[in-house]
């Protein structure tokens, strides 16, 4: 027996102002049933003995220490750029603004 009816899909689509064809409503009802069944299976397995995690593999911070070092010379960097003007990179205008 389906858990998500086509009427429910149509109602939620209407609330979200999403126009769906009858074929789409039928397809989404079936897909949502599969999702609901999968969630139910996971809920059966979940126990209090298993700690909830956001990621299956423990993560560690891989960033280096924030250390102040010397920076690149601006004139050297701008000398490698295709175009520069007033100490800045010059790039083509893309937004049509003056």
């Amino acid at each position: 027996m389906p858990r998500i009816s086509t009427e429910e899909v149509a109602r939620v689509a209407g609330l979200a102002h999403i126009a769906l064809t009858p074929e789409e409503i039928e397809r989404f009802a079936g897909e949502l049933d599969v999702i609901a069944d999968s969630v139910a299976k996971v809920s059966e397995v979940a126990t209090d003995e298993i700690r909830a995690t956001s990621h299956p593999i423990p993560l560690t911070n891989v960033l280096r220490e924030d250390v102040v070092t010397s920076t690149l010379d601006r004139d050297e960097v701008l000398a490698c750029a295709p175009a520069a003007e007033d100490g800045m990179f010059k790039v083509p205008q893309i937004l049509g603004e003056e």
Side-chain angles (χ1 to χ4, degrees):
M1 180 173 157
R3 296 182 196 185
I4 312 287
S5 69
T6 54
E7 292 80 18
E8 289 175 303
V9 173
R11 185 181 71 80
V12 172
L15 291 172
H17 301 285
I18 299 172
L20 296 177
T21 65
E23 294 80 17
E24 290 172 322
I25 291 172
E26 189 71 34
R27 188 183 88 214
F28 289 143
E31 290 176 358
L32 289 169
D33 276 342
V34 171
I35 292 169
D37 288 340
S38 298
V39 170
K41 287 179 185 177
V42 170
S43 297
E44 291 173 7
V45 175
T47 67
D48 294 334
E49 298 168 6
I50 301 173
R51 188 173 59 89
T53 61
S54 62
H55 198 277
I57 300 171
L59 300 176
T60 58
N61 188 352
V62 296
L63 301 176
R64 64 173 171 76
E65 290 292 322
D66 190 12
V67 179
V68 177
T69 61
S70 61
T71 60
L72 298 172
D73 181 64
R74 180 173 58 172
D75 293 330
E76 287 180 36
V77 172
L78 290 175
C80 297
E85 186 177 291
D86 297 327
M88 296 178 275
F89 294 108
K90 185 175 181 180
V91 296
Q93 182 174 328
I94 59 169
L95 298 177
E97 298 174 355
E98 294 296 322

